[in-house]
Structure formats: C-alpha cells, structure tokens
Amino acid sequence: MASWKTITRRSFIVLGAAVVGGAAFGAYKVAEVPANPLTPAPGSTPLNPWVIINADGITVIAPRAEMGQGISTTLAALVAEELDVDWEQVRVLHGPPAQAYYNAGFVERMSNEPDYQLSLRENSHNAILAAVPKIFSLQMTGGSTGAIGGFVQMRLAGAGAREALKAAAAKRLGVLPDTLKTEGGKVIGEQTFTYAELAEEAATMVPEDVPLRDPSTWRYIGKTMPRLDMVGKCTGTETFGIDITLPGMKFATVRMNPKRGGAMTSFDPAAALSMPGVDQVVGLGNGIAVIANNTWTAMQAAQLVDVQWGDADYLVDTAAMMTRIEAAFATEPDSRLRDDGEVEAELAKGDRIEAEYRIPFLAHASMEPLNATAWVKPDGAVEVWCGNQAPIMTRDAIASSLRIGSDKVRLHTPVMGGGFGGRTDPVPAVLAARIAAAMPDTPVKLTYSREEDMTQDFYRPAAIARLSGRVENGKATALWGRTAAPSASRNALSRLVGFAPPGPDRATVEGGFDQPYGLPHYRYDGHVADLTVPLGFWRSVGNSMNAFFLESFIDELAHAAKADPLTFRLDLMRDTHGPSATLLETVRDMSDWDSLKRPGFGRGVAYCYSFGTPVAQVLEVQDTPAGIKLTRAWIACDPGLAMDPGIIEAQMTGAVVYGLSAAVQGAITFADQSVVEQNFTNYEPLRMHTTPGFEVKVLQNNGAFGHIGGVGEPGTPPAAPALANALYDLTGTRARSLPLNQLFEFAT
Amino acid sequence: MSFTLSVNGARRQVDLPGDVPLLWALRDGLAMTGTKFGCGVAACGACTVLIDGEAVRSCQVPLADAGGEITTIEGLGQPGALAPLQEAWVKHQVAQCGYCQSGQIMQAASLLAQIPDPTDQDIDDAMQGNLCRCGTYPRIRAAIHEAATMMKAG
Ligand code: FES
Ligand code: FES
C-alpha cells in the first residue's frame, strides 16, 4: 500500500462526492454528502474523499481496513473500472477516521430475515437501515460487508472523477464533455491530456451526469487482479502496525489483569526497574506497562513486576460457565426467529431424534499480536497508529481516555496482520495513548506478547445446543433447534458503544434459523445465557456455532433416515433455494461423492448460508498409522457477483483452514478466572502438513444481478461440521462436542 | 553493550544487551521490521532468518550468539528486484494478511538451498514450523514448486 508520505504537494483530490449522495442513496436526509476528511495538499481543492490524483498515478482511499482479506484491492478495482486507468497506475491507502467512510453494507446484514429470502433491491426496510451506520459513524470493517458497501460508492467515486476530468478537458478544448473519451489515465479528444495535468481544474468541477459503465464492458470487476499489497508483503516492506518506527521511539508492553475487568490491588516495580534498558513502569489501574529501549526487555521486565490482582466479576472456570450456559435452556427463549409449521405436534408423533452439542470459547490469535503506537505531542494532541476495524470509535475512545477532544487525536490505520474480528476493540490504542502520556513527546510502541494477546482477547462464546427432529419415509419432517450461549453482540456492543440494541439476539441463532432447508416444521430458538466473560466477534460470529449444530444434526437425521447425507440435504433445499442446491451438486461432482467409498477414507458434507453467500463443502479424512489425516477439501460458494475470483478463492480456503484449526484443536478454557491457553503451543492452528488440499469453485447464480455476498467469513461455518461428519463416516463415532481431538487421534 | 552483526552483507552495530534475541535487535535496534514477531517461543516461524544459509528462529538466538552471516527478508530481494522465490510468491498471489510471509519465504529459501527440487513431503517437513493464520498453505506449496522450477531454468 502507498503511504501518506507519498501524497505530495502536487496532488489533487478529484470529485464525485456531490453525485455519490444523490445517485447512491436517493432522497434520505442522511444521504447528504459528509464533509471531506482529507487534508488537501497546498494548492489543491479537495472534493472527494476517495480519489487522489498526482503525477505518479491514482491513489484510491479505501474506506475499509485491510486485514488480509484483499478488500483494498477490490475497492481500488471498482474505482479503476470507472476511472479508466491502467492497473499499474493505481495505489491504495486507508482513509483517516471520518464519517465519509461509513459502511453501508454493515447494517444491510443486520436484518433478522434469512438473507436467501430477501431481494436486495426490493427490500426498502434494509435500504433505510443501510443509512443508519452513517448516522452512527460506523466506519467499520466487519461482517463481510466491505465489497457490498463499496460496490456503488467506489464506482461512483471513479465515475465522478472521470466525468470531472472530462469536464476540465472539455473546457480547455471548448467542446462538450460527451465528445471526449478516457483511457489509460488520459482524456482523449483533439488533444490528449493526462489526468495529472487536469487534476487541479477537475477538482473544482461538479459534473451533473455520472453514468456508470455497463457491466458487459467491465475490465477489472469480475477478474482476478494482482493484489496491490502483494509485492510489499513478499519483500518485508509492508508496514504493519507493529512495524511503525518513529524517531526516538521507546518500546513498551503490557501485563493486564488476567481476571478480566478485575482491578490491580498493588504492584511493586522495583525488580523490573533494575533491569538495564527499562525506563518506566506505568500503573494502568488494571495492569501495568513497562517502557524500555527494546520490546524484549520490556516483556521480560513486565514479568518481574510483583502484582496483586483483584477478582473478575464472572465465574471461576469453564465447568461453571458451561453449567451457567446450560441453565439458560430453562429461561424463556430470547428469540424464535423461525417457526414454520407445527413443530411440537409433529415431534409428538414419536420417534424423535435428539442430540446435544457443546462447543468451547475460541480466541482470534491473529498472526500479528495486538499493538499500537502513540505519540503525545507537547500541545497535548496525540498521534496514534493502530491496525483497527473501527477508526471513529477507536479515535473517540482514545480522546475520552486522555480527556482531550477528538480533534486532538490523529489516528492512522496501518494494514493488519490478520483481524478475524479481533481488532474491533479500541483497547490497544487506548493503552498505547495512556502509556505514551507517561512519556510526553516521545513516541512509544506498545506490543503485546503472544500470551497477553491471547489472554486479553474477546472470545467467541462457548455454546450448547439441543436439537430434536423427526424423519419419515427417508425424509426429515421436523427440526427444532435451541442454542444457549452468552451473547457476543450484546457483550461487545455494550462495551463498544455503551448499549446493546434491543430485540432478539441474532448472533445466538444465525446459521441455525436462517438456512434454506424446506422442512415442513422448522423452529429455531435462542436462549441467551447470563455470563459476563469478555466476548467478541469471531470470523463468521454465530454462524460458526450454529452451522456446527445444525449441520451435524442434519447428518444425524440423514443417517436415521438411511439416506445419503448429501442427497438428503439436496432434497430439502431444491425447492427453497436453487443456487444452494446447485452448490451441493457442485461439491458432489467435484468430490466424486457418488463413487464408491475408498476403504480407510471418510467423507463429510456441510453447508451454510451466511453473509449473503451460501457455501457447500465436502471434506475427506484418512485413517493412517500416524492418526487421522485431513486429506482433501472441496468448496463451492456463490456470492452472486464475484468481484475478484482469485481473492474469493483465497478467502474461502483461508476461512476453511481457520474453521478446521478450531474444530480440530481449538479451545479457550478458564481456570481461576484466567485463560489457560496462552500461546500457539496449546492453541495451535493447522500447519502446512496438517492442512488438506483444496479445490474451490465460485458460482454466480445467487440473488438478482448485483447481489454481492461477503467472502471473508462464509467459508468458516461449514468447516467444523464437514469434518465431524467425515469422521463419523470414517469411524462411526458421532462427535457432539468440539474440539475434535478430544475424541479422535489426528496425525500431527 | 554493543555488538556488531553482519546483516545482508553489511556490518551493523547494535547497542543492546547480549541476551536480547536477534529478532528484537533487528526490529528495535536496527529498525529492520521485515522480520516479524509472532510468538517468542519458537512455535510460529514468523521470525525466521538465515544465519550462514540456514533457517533459524531469530526469537531464540541471543544477540551475543548471532555471529554468522545473517540474511533477512530485506536481503533476499527488493520490490524492484525480486528474488525468484518472491517472484513465485507474487505470481501465485500467496499473501493474505502477509504477516507470516517473511518467515515463510526465508524458510523456503533455506529449503531450496538444501533441496533444489523438493517433493510435497520435503515441503511438509521443512515448512511445518511456520504458521499461517490466514491459511495460505496451498499457495505457499505451489509457489515453492514454482520457484524451484524457475531456479532450475536459471
Ligand atoms: S516469533 Fe520466533 S518462532 Fe514465533
Ligand atoms: S498470510 Fe496472514 S498469517 Fe500468513
């Protein structure tokens, strides 16, 4: 990615903004164009928060943060498509915190309707909801919404800039803009002008009519584009947050109360301060920071501080927490977002099939540990660098912790070494600012040890589900699912924005209630458990829980019905969602499902529709003398419009590896109110030799034209049940709890 | 304390205590941030560099013992002059978040130096200490095979 430093004096921020409001969001009051947050280079007129033009090329300001999901490349391609520039001319930057970069896609995903029943275009309810994040300043990256939110916004930004550049050239030539064309970063008429030559004038133009390209003429959208961040990431020259280097910088680490939220009753820094290289030990109320001349010394010294911790306000260990979660079944359901037919009457007919499943807490464990760099300036202002998924919220949290105005906080969002939902909380940025306040006018980089990163995370909830079902004549007739879990979204939103939205908690039941299974009697309930451990959004959120429950149970029903599990699903889906049925057929063919089972191998199928994208998977396992091996995985997904097939393939594969890592051996447990697993030694992801081979197909049948499903998360939910179902096929043992290495011996 | 290291062919002086691991001497002492911190306990490989051509976990090598010729990702190739491995990585669009990739590439460099035409089993054996949370393993494997072919062709 480019750096703000390279945006030089002769840079012009070219337009489109006036048009963006009207064309994209109709007549809503909130559709008015937010103020342009970019500080103009001297001599330029900023009009548009998305496109900067200078002699070196085009810089696209990506409103979403890059965590590895490739969103910056896709957003830049949308601009480039309309702007008629060569890909080599394009660079990308993450914008500063500003309301102009709100994420419209985010709220589009918050409705409580199953997505497969919505037509994106017709659903006015959702269109209104889509305006809400602007009001709430949700400049947030998450919910697999980046490409959706950007699809119209970024193309209009490119088209607006293109038309402004044409208008500028037309004025010079004394012709109508319509007579000119654009190509390769130039406006071509009787005379040819480069965009850079026209940028200054174009920045003052407000074109009236900004037509978008006809999809049949797209050159970039729908193609696999070379990622703009690839070379930097393969040469060690990309600057992640953890790599920020500033003159005279000091290095810090933190050691926070492992009993989360508990106070620190006392600390004695003497031993730490005696270590050569240590500058300061800073008390933070519920933890300490050490500032030193290198990070390692800070980490060593932090362990030498003698600290007394107060207790947290939650239960003492995992067993007690699971008992509390179980108790939620006795409470009124928080939600019943699906209730088709007469479930109770149907189940009362007898031959009920019942099962209970349990899953553990999970950590994000991004490869780049949490970190942030802060520099408190002599005038009290603070500059902060922190890879984060919510810049406005982060900026405001820093401001309030230092008791300064938000205008005194300058927040940069460097690219992130993974996020997976784990960089939404502003804690690292706030702590860095507070630590830097202890060393005024000295930049301080805070780096968490892996142990701190893992024990100070906000976890995917543990959950228990009870499912009942009935089959008759080889077909499922009824399914009643009940999930009990503490609410990740209420827990996180109370912490982040100070209140939990009213109404049913979708995250507890998503992936369970909203699947296109045409069961005549289908009910799904959520029971929210009263448990206060720190929770957050983990790649695919509730879908990662309920897909395991539902897809394991559907498999159990299929076996009870003596039906092939893939055909059984297909029969339930054919009439309710054609594109999903096609996906099941696709993985059936890719995996040669109907061929005779090979001895020593097992195969499992699973499916989940989440974030607008249905995904079907088949996973193959093999019994070997060294243990069970995951051999091959076949994935078929259908996001609707596939903006960048190469990136989608990578996201699907990566999301499955993420899901399988958790399924095989991921569990966060608590003892004495503290998280036990602290490093990759006992919270270990899959590795090169334990990861299966992949084949991915990206189909484009879902939704009306222009439907864009998310791609960063939907691959994760089916991974665990596909594996559990494959293990059943191999061994005849049904796994009803995760991780699976409690029950099976895997090759390591 | 002051130590002189040989990094990417240049003599570099670091003023840090001798027990500070090479990883932090590079990152904090020399501002060479291409080498990454992931775990600090030899469990992830993000910190991999070459010492005298051999892949080592720089989080485990005290500065005082880092006597040999050190090669980091910055020394392998640059954006305008990619090493074959990096070219293969770009061709296969391996990186997602990219955070593990410096370590992956350095580990692969050591593998190819020892086994110019590795089998899948060789790749499994050599690369299993390098974690990738984004799950880029299939593309890493493809890129290593590609680099081997490129290097054979010269
Ligand atoms: S940081 Fe050295 S192996 Fe993880
Ligand atoms: S690319 Fe993200 S950890 Fe490997």
Side-chain angles (χ1 to χ4, degrees):
Chain A
M1 300 236 273
S3 144
W4 282 104
K5 278 178 256 163
T6 62
I7 304 301
T8 53
R9 231 185 128 258
R10 302 295 297 169
S11 297
F12 297 97
I13 296 161
V14 174
L15 177 131
V19 185
V20 170
F25 296 105
Y28 303 116
K29 169 86 179 79
V30 286
E32 277 174 16
V33 182
N36 190 320
L38 299 180
T39 315
S44 75
T45 315
L47 277 175
N48 172 317
W50 293 281
V51 182
I52 296 175
I53 295 176
N54 64 25
D56 307 331
I58 311 296
T59 302
V60 173
I61 310 302
R64 300 280 78 76
E66 182 61 57
M67 305 177 264
Q69 78 280 43
I71 190 66
S72 53
T73 295
T74 299
L75 293 174
L78 290 168
V79 172
E81 185 70 74
E82 292 293 336
L83 192 49
D84 291 326
V85 286
D86 294 334
W87 192 238
E88 294 68 39
Q89 300 172 297
V90 179
R91 288 171 303 162
V92 66
L93 268 178
H94 185 269
Q99 220 197 13
Y101 306 121
Y102 73 94
N103 186 352
F106 200 69
V107 167
E108 219 156 67
R109 288 271 168 274
M110 286 165 81
S111 124
N112 285 327
E113 302 283 321
D115 187 276
Y116 73 92
Q117 292 177 339
L118 293 180
S119 154
L120 222 60
R121 277 155 193 265
E122 286 159 22
N123 198 295
S124 59
H125 174 64
N126 265 14
I128 293 164
L129 272 178
V132 174
K134 183 149 51 170
I135 302 168
F136 283 179
S137 295
L138 279 184
Q139 182 185 0
M140 194 183 263
T141 305
S144 288
T145 56
I148 306 157
F151 182 59
V152 174
Q153 207 178 37
M154 299 307 278
R155 280 187 303 148
L156 279 168
R162 178 193 72 219
E163 293 307 316
L165 290 156
K166 276 164 71 181
K171 203 168 136 203
R172 285 200 196 175
L173 294 172
V175 298
L176 286 172
D178 282 1
T179 63
L180 303 171
K181 60 176 198 155
T182 48
E183 203 182 284
K186 297 189 180 81
V187 180
I188 299 164
E190 235 163 72
Q191 225 182 307
T192 296
F193 303 100
T194 65
Y195 286 175
E197 286 175 83
L198 297 167
E200 185 167 9
E201 254 170 286
T204 65
M205 300 276 175
V206 182
E208 268 151 39
D209 184 27
V210 176
L212 291 179
R213 293 259 183 275
D214 188 275
S216 66
T217 67
W218 284 345
R219 292 175 305 153
Y220 299 146
I221 303 172
K223 307 273 172 0
T224 294
M225 303 302 293
R227 283 178 61 144
L228 295 171
D229 53 356
M230 190 56 66
V231 170
K233 288 176 173 177
C234 297
T235 52
T237 54
E238 177 69 283
T239 305
F240 295 87
I242 206 169
D243 300 329
I244 296 294
T245 301
L246 296 163
M249 186 169 77
K250 292 286 184 183
F251 303 88
T253 200
V254 285
R255 190 171 146 217
M256 307 305 288
N257 192 341
K259 304 173 184 190
R260 304 289 299 279
M264 177 171 64
T265 40
S266 71
F267 73 100
D268 176 1
L273 286 169
S274 71
M275 249 185 105
V278 171
D279 290 286
Q280 268 195 52
V281 175
V282 184
L284 296 165
N286 56 347
I288 54 103
V290 176
I291 308 175
N293 67 357
N294 73 87
T295 309
W296 185 79
T297 296
M299 288 178 184
Q300 302 304 303
Q303 295 309 313
L304 297 181
V305 179
D306 187 12
V307 195
Q308 303 302 317
W309 301 122
D311 286 341
D313 69 354
Y314 50 79
L315 297 166
V316 66
D317 60 14
T318 309
M321 292 174 189
M322 294 311 283
T323 304
R324 177 68 64 83
I325 293 171
E326 194 168 3
F329 284 118
T331 63
E332 274 295 296
D334 164 80
S335 71
R336 178 165 288 168
L337 293 178
R338 183 145 203 161
D339 197 10
D340 299 345
E342 301 290 337
V343 164
E344 282 166 88
E346 177 64 21
L347 289 173
K349 288 183 184 169
D351 301 330
R352 248 181 214 245
I353 296 150
E354 300 198 311
E356 183 185 284
Y357 303 89
R358 289 172 179 247
I359 55 170
F361 296 100
L362 293 171
H364 296 88
S366 293
M367 210 61 219
E368 178 194 17
L370 294 173
N371 64 85
T373 300
W375 188 351
V376 174
K377 305 291 171 64
D379 65 356
V382 62
E383 195 164 356
V384 177
W385 292 257
C386 181
N388 71 88
Q389 293 174 234
I392 296 178
M393 205 157 63
T394 303
R395 180 198 64 192
D396 293 349
I398 295 165
S400 76
S401 84
L402 295 190
R403 296 199 182 80
I404 55 177
S406 287
D407 58 326
K408 289 258 188 289
V409 179
R410 191 151 171 231
L411 175 66
H412 308 266
T413 303
V415 297
M416 287 166 253
F420 314 120
R423 294 189 203 270
T424 314
D425 273 72
V427 181
V430 168
L431 289 179
R434 289 176 59 200
I435 297 163
M439 276 214 144
D441 208 19
T442 305
V444 181
K445 173 156 69 181
L446 160 65
T447 304
Y448 284 50
S449 65
R450 173 57 61 190
E451 290 79 6
E452 281 295 306
D453 177 283
M454 223 172 258
T455 52
Q456 296 295 321
D457 196 5
F458 296 93
Y459 306 97
R460 201 285 306 269
I464 305 174
R466 291 177 178 164
L467 290 95
S468 323
R470 196 166 175 275
V471 294
E472 203 177 287
N473 301 328
K475 299 235 180 297
T477 58
L479 184 146
W480 183 2
R482 296 188 297 150
T483 297
S487 164
S489 47
R490 283 183 196 160
N491 184 306
L493 289 171
S494 309
R495 187 171 69 237
L496 296 171
V497 295
F499 72 97
D505 186 56
R506 184 191 160 114
T508 299
V509 291
E510 62 185 1
F513 83 92
D514 49 359
Q515 300 301 301
Y517 284 119
L519 290 142
H521 310 278
Y522 182 179
R523 173 187 279 180
Y524 215 92
D525 295 344
H527 295 264
V528 174
D530 176 23
L531 193 64
T532 53
V533 286
L535 302 174
F537 304 112
W538 188 90
R539 197 172 195 170
S540 84
V541 198
N543 294 286
S544 73
M545 313 189 307
N546 290 298
F548 175 67
F549 305 145
L550 182 65
E551 287 296 302
S552 296
F553 191 67
I554 294 270
D555 232 57
E556 300 208 37
L557 293 182
H559 290 288
K562 304 206 172 8
D564 171 76
L566 199 151
T567 314
F568 187 76
R569 286 175 171 81
L570 202 47
D571 287 344
L572 286 171
M573 220 172 264
R574 208 172 256 126
D575 297 333
T576 48
H577 198 237
S580 291
T582 304
L583 291 177
L584 284 167
E585 288 163 347
T586 305
V587 288
R588 180 191 64 198
D589 297 346
M590 287 165 78
S591 66
D592 207 3
W593 180 269
D594 290 336
S595 72
L596 265 192
K597 199 178 126 177
R598 289 194 284 164
F601 286 83
R603 290 173 307 181
V605 61
Y607 162 94
C608 184
Y609 190 128
S610 64
F611 305 98
T613 300
V615 180
Q617 293 172 17
V618 168
L619 200 99
E620 181 193 67
V621 292
Q622 183 187 12
D623 199 11
T624 77
I628 296 169
K629 261 178 85 68
L630 280 52
T631 44
R632 291 185 292 171
W634 296 270
I635 309 171
C637 66
D638 193 338
L641 182 61
M643 292 216 262
D644 187 314
I647 285 176
I648 295 172
E649 190 219 287
Q651 284 302 301
M652 285 296 149
T653 308
V656 172
V657 175
Y658 200 78
L660 290 175
S661 294
V664 171
Q665 52 207 7
I668 288 292
T669 60
F670 289 81
D672 190 21
Q673 296 193 320
S674 309
V675 164
V676 175
E677 294 74 19
Q678 307 205 347
N679 207 319
F680 294 126
T681 42
N682 52 7
Y683 190 82
E684 196 186 357
L686 292 186
R687 296 175 177 274
M688 174 71 88
H689 66 296
T690 49
T691 294
F694 283 92
E695 220 178 288
V696 182
K697 278 213 168 114
V698 183
L699 305 188
Q700 305 193 64
N701 305 317
N702 193 23
F705 182 80
H707 172 87
I708 302 165
V711 300
E713 300 176 87
T716 298
L723 176 57
N725 294 341
L727 290 165
Y728 177 80
D729 188 44
L730 180 71
T731 65
T733 302
R734 171 64 59 186
R736 293 205 182 94
S737 69
L738 298 178
L740 296 161
N741 68 352
Q742 294 170 332
L743 202 56
F744 301 98
E745 202 171 312
F746 289 94
T748 50
Chain B
M1 282 288 273
S2 172
F3 291 86
T4 305
L5 299 177
S6 177
V7 188
N8 301 330
R11 313 286 291 166
R12 303 290 303 269
Q13 193 168 318
V14 191
D15 297 314
L16 286 172
D19 56 351
V20 172
L22 174 61
L23 168 65
W24 298 107
L26 292 167
R27 290 183 55 82
D28 295 355
L30 297 175
M32 296 180 67
T33 55
T35 306
K36 304 301 187 200
F37 163 60
C39 69
V41 298
C44 78
C47 65
T48 305
V49 301
L50 305 182
I51 298 185
D52 297 329
E54 191 135 353
V56 297
R57 306 291 182 239
S58 66
C59 70
Q60 300 300 307
V61 181
L63 177 50
D65 297 344
E69 282 296 326
I70 300 160
T71 310
T72 69
I73 186 76
E74 291 96 339
L76 200 68
Q78 290 80 41
L82 297 177
L85 261 172
Q86 292 165 319
E87 242 174 79
W89 242 250
V90 171
K91 177 163 174 204
H92 287 268
Q93 296 279 296
V94 173
Q96 289 186 28
C97 86
Y99 192 77
C100 71
Q101 300 297 344
S102 298
Q104 305 279 5
I105 291 172
M106 297 315 286
Q107 187 70 41
S110 151
L111 165 65
L112 292 185
Q114 284 161 28
I115 308 175
D117 198 1
T119 62
D120 278 340
Q121 185 62 49
D122 295 331
I123 292 175
D124 277 352
D125 293 345
M127 303 302 294
Q128 62 176 267
N130 290 74
L131 286 176
C132 175
R133 244 343 225 159
C134 299
T136 65
Y137 303 120
R139 290 190 183 188
I140 291 175
R141 186 187 298 283
I144 293 175
H145 284 307
E146 175 96 31
T149 310
M150 282 163 60
M151 285 158 85
K152 245 194 328 216

mmCIF file of all heavy atoms in Angstrom, chain A residues 279-299:
data_model
loop_
_atom_site.group_PDB
_atom_site.id
_atom_site.type_symbol
_atom_site.label_atom_id
_atom_site.label_comp_id
_atom_site.label_asym_id
_atom_site.label_seq_id
_atom_site.Cartn_x
_atom_site.Cartn_y
_atom_site.Cartn_z
ATOM 1 N N ASP A 279 12.941 1.932 31.225
ATOM 2 C CA ASP A 279 12.756 3.352 31.535
ATOM 3 C C ASP A 279 11.730 3.573 32.635
ATOM 4 O O ASP A 279 11.942 4.355 33.548
ATOM 5 C CB ASP A 279 12.273 4.111 30.293
ATOM 6 C CG ASP A 279 13.362 4.222 29.251
ATOM 7 O OD1 ASP A 279 14.297 5.013 29.458
ATOM 8 O OD2 ASP A 279 13.302 3.491 28.243
ATOM 9 N N GLN A 280 10.592 2.901 32.505
ATOM 10 C CA GLN A 280 9.488 3.207 33.411
ATOM 11 C C GLN A 280 8.581 2.007 33.557
ATOM 12 O O GLN A 280 8.441 1.203 32.629
ATOM 13 C CB GLN A 280 8.611 4.319 32.804
ATOM 14 C CG GLN A 280 8.976 5.721 33.214
ATOM 15 C CD GLN A 280 7.829 6.687 32.861
ATOM 16 O OE1 GLN A 280 6.677 6.452 33.221
ATOM 17 N NE2 GLN A 280 8.161 7.758 32.166
ATOM 18 N N VAL A 281 7.943 1.914 34.714
ATOM 19 C CA VAL A 281 6.820 1.000 34.879
ATOM 20 C C VAL A 281 5.606 1.892 35.136
ATOM 21 O O VAL A 281 5.633 2.747 36.015
ATOM 22 C CB VAL A 281 7.045 0.020 36.050
ATOM 23 C CG1 VAL A 281 5.807 -0.842 36.275
ATOM 24 C CG2 VAL A 281 8.268 -0.854 35.778
ATOM 25 N N VAL A 282 4.574 1.710 34.330
ATOM 26 C CA VAL A 282 3.407 2.590 34.414
ATOM 27 C C VAL A 282 2.221 1.792 34.950
ATOM 28 O O VAL A 282 1.874 0.741 34.402
ATOM 29 C CB VAL A 282 3.045 3.158 33.015
ATOM 30 C CG1 VAL A 282 1.897 4.157 33.119
ATOM 31 C CG2 VAL A 282 4.264 3.796 32.363
ATOM 32 N N GLY A 283 1.606 2.266 36.015
ATOM 33 C CA GLY A 283 0.400 1.624 36.533
ATOM 34 C C GLY A 283 -0.803 2.014 35.694
ATOM 35 O O GLY A 283 -0.971 3.186 35.352
ATOM 36 N N LEU A 284 -1.619 1.033 35.328
ATOM 37 C CA LEU A 284 -2.755 1.319 34.448
ATOM 38 C C LEU A 284 -4.091 1.012 35.125
ATOM 39 O O LEU A 284 -5.117 0.937 34.472
ATOM 40 C CB LEU A 284 -2.630 0.494 33.159
ATOM 41 C CG LEU A 284 -1.417 0.805 32.265
ATOM 42 C CD1 LEU A 284 -1.214 -0.305 31.235
ATOM 43 C CD2 LEU A 284 -1.578 2.155 31.578
ATOM 44 N N GLY A 285 -4.061 0.813 36.445
ATOM 45 C CA GLY A 285 -5.313 0.539 37.156
ATOM 46 C C GLY A 285 -5.651 -0.930 37.185
ATOM 47 O O GLY A 285 -5.865 -1.504 38.245
ATOM 48 N N ASN A 286 -5.730 -1.557 36.000
ATOM 49 C CA ASN A 286 -5.983 -2.999 35.961
ATOM 50 C C ASN A 286 -4.831 -3.734 35.283
ATOM 51 O O ASN A 286 -5.001 -4.810 34.726
ATOM 52 C CB ASN A 286 -7.299 -3.300 35.248
ATOM 53 C CG ASN A 286 -7.336 -2.728 33.854
ATOM 54 O OD1 ASN A 286 -6.499 -1.902 33.492
ATOM 55 N ND2 ASN A 286 -8.283 -3.168 33.054
ATOM 56 N N GLY A 287 -3.653 -3.133 35.352
ATOM 57 C CA GLY A 287 -2.478 -3.769 34.786
ATOM 58 C C GLY A 287 -1.314 -2.797 34.806
ATOM 59 O O GLY A 287 -1.444 -1.662 35.289
ATOM 60 N N ILE A 288 -0.190 -3.261 34.292
ATOM 61 C CA ILE A 288 0.978 -2.385 34.253
ATOM 62 C C ILE A 288 1.568 -2.383 32.836
ATOM 63 O O ILE A 288 1.327 -3.299 32.041
ATOM 64 C CB ILE A 288 2.081 -2.840 35.237
ATOM 65 C CG1 ILE A 288 2.448 -4.322 35.001
ATOM 66 C CG2 ILE A 288 1.639 -2.636 36.681
ATOM 67 C CD1 ILE A 288 3.718 -4.551 34.266
ATOM 68 N N ALA A 289 2.318 -1.341 32.547
ATOM 69 C CA ALA A 289 3.093 -1.303 31.301
ATOM 70 C C ALA A 289 4.547 -1.077 31.674
ATOM 71 O O ALA A 289 4.841 -0.401 32.660
ATOM 72 C CB ALA A 289 2.606 -0.175 30.409
ATOM 73 N N VAL A 290 5.441 -1.670 30.893
ATOM 74 C CA VAL A 290 6.859 -1.374 31.047
ATOM 75 C C VAL A 290 7.334 -0.702 29.771
ATOM 76 O O VAL A 290 7.026 -1.163 28.663
ATOM 77 C CB VAL A 290 7.679 -2.653 31.300
ATOM 78 C CG1 VAL A 290 9.167 -2.323 31.362
ATOM 79 C CG2 VAL A 290 7.231 -3.334 32.590
ATOM 80 N N ILE A 291 8.058 0.403 29.938
ATOM 81 C CA ILE A 291 8.647 1.089 28.788
ATOM 82 C C ILE A 291 10.155 0.861 28.854
ATOM 83 O O ILE A 291 10.764 1.047 29.913
ATOM 84 C CB ILE A 291 8.356 2.599 28.814
ATOM 85 C CG1 ILE A 291 6.843 2.853 28.989
ATOM 86 C CG2 ILE A 291 8.867 3.277 27.549
ATOM 87 C CD1 ILE A 291 6.483 4.325 29.151
ATOM 88 N N ALA A 292 10.743 0.458 27.721
ATOM 89 C CA ALA A 292 12.175 0.130 27.712
ATOM 90 C C ALA A 292 12.784 0.525 26.379
ATOM 91 O O ALA A 292 12.104 1.082 25.511
ATOM 92 C CB ALA A 292 12.360 -1.362 27.965
ATOM 93 N N ASN A 293 14.072 0.195 26.225
ATOM 94 C CA ASN A 293 14.713 0.548 24.961
ATOM 95 C C ASN A 293 14.580 -0.554 23.918
ATOM 96 O O ASN A 293 15.086 -0.426 22.814
ATOM 97 C CB ASN A 293 16.177 0.961 25.182
ATOM 98 C CG ASN A 293 17.038 -0.207 25.659
ATOM 99 O OD1 ASN A 293 16.526 -1.314 25.873
ATOM 100 N ND2 ASN A 293 18.320 0.047 25.830
ATOM 101 N N ASN A 294 13.937 -1.655 24.276
ATOM 102 C CA ASN A 294 13.547 -2.650 23.271
ATOM 103 C C ASN A 294 12.393 -3.468 23.827
ATOM 104 O O ASN A 294 12.182 -3.533 25.042
ATOM 105 C CB ASN A 294 14.737 -3.533 22.861
ATOM 106 C CG ASN A 294 15.107 -4.523 23.951
ATOM 107 O OD1 ASN A 294 14.556 -5.618 24.013
ATOM 108 N ND2 ASN A 294 16.013 -4.111 24.842
ATOM 109 N N THR A 295 11.650 -4.082 22.928
ATOM 110 C CA THR A 295 10.413 -4.761 23.305
ATOM 111 C C THR A 295 10.682 -5.975 24.194
ATOM 112 O O THR A 295 9.948 -6.238 25.147
ATOM 113 C CB THR A 295 9.669 -5.217 22.030
ATOM 114 O OG1 THR A 295 9.564 -4.086 21.159
ATOM 115 C CG2 THR A 295 8.283 -5.735 22.334
ATOM 116 N N TRP A 296 11.726 -6.720 23.876
ATOM 117 C CA TRP A 296 12.016 -7.940 24.630
ATOM 118 C C TRP A 296 12.309 -7.615 26.090
ATOM 119 O O TRP A 296 11.785 -8.262 26.993
ATOM 120 C CB TRP A 296 13.204 -8.668 23.989
ATOM 121 C CG TRP A 296 13.491 -9.994 24.624
ATOM 122 C CD1 TRP A 296 12.832 -11.166 24.412
ATOM 123 C CD2 TRP A 296 14.526 -10.268 25.585
ATOM 124 N NE1 TRP A 296 13.397 -12.158 25.187
ATOM 125 C CE2 TRP A 296 14.435 -11.646 25.908
ATOM 126 C CE3 TRP A 296 15.519 -9.490 26.197
ATOM 127 C CZ2 TRP A 296 15.294 -12.257 26.808
ATOM 128 C CZ3 TRP A 296 16.381 -10.101 27.097
ATOM 129 C CH2 TRP A 296 16.265 -11.475 27.399
ATOM 130 N N THR A 297 13.126 -6.595 26.312
ATOM 131 C CA THR A 297 13.423 -6.192 27.689
ATOM 132 C C THR A 297 12.143 -5.773 28.408
ATOM 133 O O THR A 297 11.914 -6.128 29.566
ATOM 134 C CB THR A 297 14.459 -5.050 27.685
ATOM 135 O OG1 THR A 297 15.683 -5.557 27.143
ATOM 136 C CG2 THR A 297 14.721 -4.512 29.076
ATOM 137 N N ALA A 298 11.282 -5.049 27.700
ATOM 138 C CA ALA A 298 10.008 -4.651 28.308
ATOM 139 C C ALA A 298 9.205 -5.882 28.714
ATOM 140 O O ALA A 298 8.625 -5.944 29.804
ATOM 141 C CB ALA A 298 9.220 -3.777 27.342
ATOM 142 N N MET A 299 9.186 -6.898 27.832
ATOM 143 C CA MET A 299 8.417 -8.116 28.131
ATOM 144 C C MET A 299 9.008 -8.881 29.308
ATOM 145 O O MET A 299 8.278 -9.412 30.148
ATOM 146 C CB MET A 299 8.329 -9.010 26.884
ATOM 147 C CG MET A 299 7.402 -8.464 25.814
ATOM 148 S SD MET A 299 7.397 -9.523 24.348
ATOM 149 C CE MET A 299 6.331 -8.555 23.255
#
